Amino acid sequence: MDIGVTIFDHILSNQKLNPGATGAFTRLLMAIVVAAKVVQRDVAKAGLVDVLGRAGSINVQGEEVQKLDEIANQALKSLLWSSGEVCTLISEEEADLIEIPRQFKRGNYLVHFDPLDGSSNIDANVSIGTIFSIYRRVTPPEMDAGLQDALQQGMRQVAAGYIIYGSSCMLVYSTGYGVHGFTLDASVGEFLLSHPSIRIPSRGKIYSTNESNYRYWDEGTRNYIDWLKDPEAGHAKPYTSRYIGSLVADFHRNLLYGGIFLYPADLRDPHKPRGKLRLMCEANPMSFICEQAGGLATTGSERVLEIQPTEIHQRVPLIVGSCEDVQTYQDFMARARGRSAG
Ligand code: AHG
Ligand code: MN
Ligand code: MN
């Protein structure tokens, strides 16, 4: 029976492209694959065992942590530790760099992750996800890994990906050689290559944003959204609005169908524009994947992957999607900047 290309085969064949490869990176990715299966199992039975609902504590971002967030966080930590290939971990759910317990071997990689993205959707059985972003350490191996390792520009990611727990469970990743999607075949317990070399359409028909924040956006963003909805604007086809409120699910749909996702800066306090999404565990990995698929990602004023991070839990505006859609958005932003300067 031919079951197709497993994710293990795929990672291994990538490893063979690199003659200096030691297998370390392959072991690291495989630890994430196992974590994905563990979290998928727990998400799928969330309604059966009593893991639904809130755990009652507040995470470092000031948000309520839900039980599945903790389960996913723990699964990723323990499987990544066991791989022996990480020097530190950074989770959306934890304030500081996560040290590697003494009993585990240390490696040369570090992983930023959002263990469960879209967790406010859990109780309604809406798609949620896990996001990961991998870097090589920059400090010498005999030192403890620190902020210098954790705060690297997104363009230095060696891999990034996400798992979506949806109508099926998919893992999408890139190591800088295109974007590849795998679907979990539960009957054999393997992720099988279902979406090789994903390319995002150069222009889409979908925009995804929490439009209730409209009045707190800058002029360029408001003008752009008005233009998308304007029947007189001369679009080939009118844009349609789709917003789930799970970044992974909104991004994944737009990656396959084409479109633009926007979480712009909030100007409620005009002196302190605030992004919502986290640079290291949300914006950078999605931007890396999108660019690898032929799309673009910006904050409105700069390329996300070029931001020099200053804090591990830094938040940024994120506008990501089809290349021509993001370019049109940037044109609106440039025109608005020109007007306010002139
Ligand atoms: P998380 O569940 O990891 O905290 O992330 C939630 C994020 C992201 O998934 C989504 O795009 C965004 O929050 C939704 O925000 P709004 O509810 O403000 O639209
Ligand atoms: Mn998230
Ligand atoms: Mn989360």
Side-chain angles (χ1 to χ4, degrees):
M1 185 186 72
D2 180 15
I3 65 162
V5 179
T6 68
I7 195 162
F8 183 63
D9 294 336
H10 197 263
I11 293 171
L12 218 52
S13 59
N14 266 358
Q15 183 192 321
K16 287 186 191 129
L17 296 175
N18 176 0
T22 57
F25 184 61
T26 300
R27 276 192 291 280
L28 174 60
L29 282 177
M30 288 315 294
I32 293 174
V33 171
V34 178
K37 291 185 202 173
V38 170
V39 178
Q40 155 65 19
R41 181 199 61 197
D42 291 334
V43 166
K45 66 183 186 191
L48 294 174
V49 296
D50 185 28
V51 290
L52 276 178
R54 290 167 191 85
S57 56
I58 302 285
N59 75 2
V60 292
Q61 319 274 352
E63 298 154 340
E64 261 185 352
V65 180
Q66 302 202 287
K67 281 184 185 172
L68 274 170
D69 286 330
E70 289 174 0
I71 293 168
N73 194 39
Q74 202 51 51
L76 278 152
K77 280 187 348 187
S78 52
L79 283 152
L80 286 167
W81 287 339
S82 304
S83 76
E85 305 301 346
V86 290
C87 56
T88 187
L89 299 173
I90 306 96
S91 165
E92 184 214 324
E93 299 295 340
E94 302 197 27
D96 298 315
L97 271 63
I98 301 167
E99 281 181 34
I100 313 299
R102 275 179 194 285
Q103 66 266 35
F104 298 106
K105 183 179 142 295
R106 279 148 203 245
N108 288 321
Y109 294 96
L110 57 133
V111 185
H112 288 264
F113 56 90
D114 179 353
L116 218 52
D117 170 72
S119 49
S120 65
N121 285 316
I122 293 171
D123 289 353
N125 205 359
V126 173
S127 297
I128 50 180
T130 294
I131 311 174
F132 61 91
S133 162
I134 305 176
Y135 295 81
R136 203 168 278 117
R137 71 177 299 171
V138 288
T139 54
E142 58 280 8
M143 282 172 64
D144 281 341
L147 283 179
Q148 214 185 321
D149 301 298
L151 299 177
Q152 299 187 51
Q153 287 170 299
M155 59 192 185
R156 300 181 64 105
Q157 287 169 101
V158 292
Y162 59 83
I163 298 112
I164 177 164
Y165 312 104
S167 47
S168 58
C169 177
M170 276 192 73
L171 189 151
V172 174
Y173 86 109
S174 176
T175 54
Y177 298 98
V179 179
H180 309 284
F182 300 79
T183 303
L184 183 63
D185 182 335
S187 65
V188 289
E190 290 279 6
F191 280 100
L192 303 177
L193 183 61
S194 52
H195 297 65
S197 303
I198 300 172
R199 302 295 294 170
I200 184 168
S202 57
R203 192 175 274 283
K205 294 184 219 121
I206 294 172
Y207 74 99
S208 316
T209 191
N210 186 340
E211 216 167 329
S212 67
N213 295 320
Y214 180 92
R215 70 169 62 190
Y216 304 115
W217 293 339
D218 59 87
E219 185 198 332
T221 303
R222 280 188 273 126
N223 289 345
Y224 174 69
I225 296 293
D226 291 344
W227 175 82
L228 290 178
K229 298 192 292 189
D230 181 359
E232 309 290 310
H235 312 298
K237 286 214 174 122
Y239 278 78
T240 192
S241 166
R242 291 282 183 274
Y243 189 67
I244 295 169
S246 285
L247 173 64
V248 168
D250 281 309
F251 177 89
H252 183 69
R253 181 203 51 237
N254 292 3
L255 179 70
L256 298 183
Y257 297 168
I260 184 166
F261 172 92
L262 308 96
Y263 213 112
D266 184 310
L267 304 178
R268 230 162 283 219
D269 176 352
H271 303 294
K272 275 197 208 143
R274 282 171 17 118
K276 168 163 183 179
L277 299 177
R278 296 83 168 173
L279 174 62
M280 302 309 293
C281 68
E282 293 177 322
N284 270 336
M286 293 318 202
S287 300
F288 182 82
I289 294 166
C290 194
E291 287 198 5
Q292 281 293 318
L296 287 176
T298 178
T299 62
S301 56
E302 63 183 318
R303 181 178 168 221
V304 173
L305 296 181
E306 287 177 13
I307 298 173
Q308 177 57 57
T310 53
E311 292 168 43
I312 57 174
H313 293 298
Q314 184 170 345
R315 294 173 188 253
V316 291
L318 174 66
I319 293 86
V320 60
S322 292
C323 162
E324 290 173 22
D325 287 304
V326 177
Q327 272 163 352
T328 306
Y329 173 78
Q330 285 171 314
D331 293 343
F332 273 85
M333 293 298 280
R335 276 204 290 278
R337 272 195 296 273
R339 269 196 298 277
S340 69

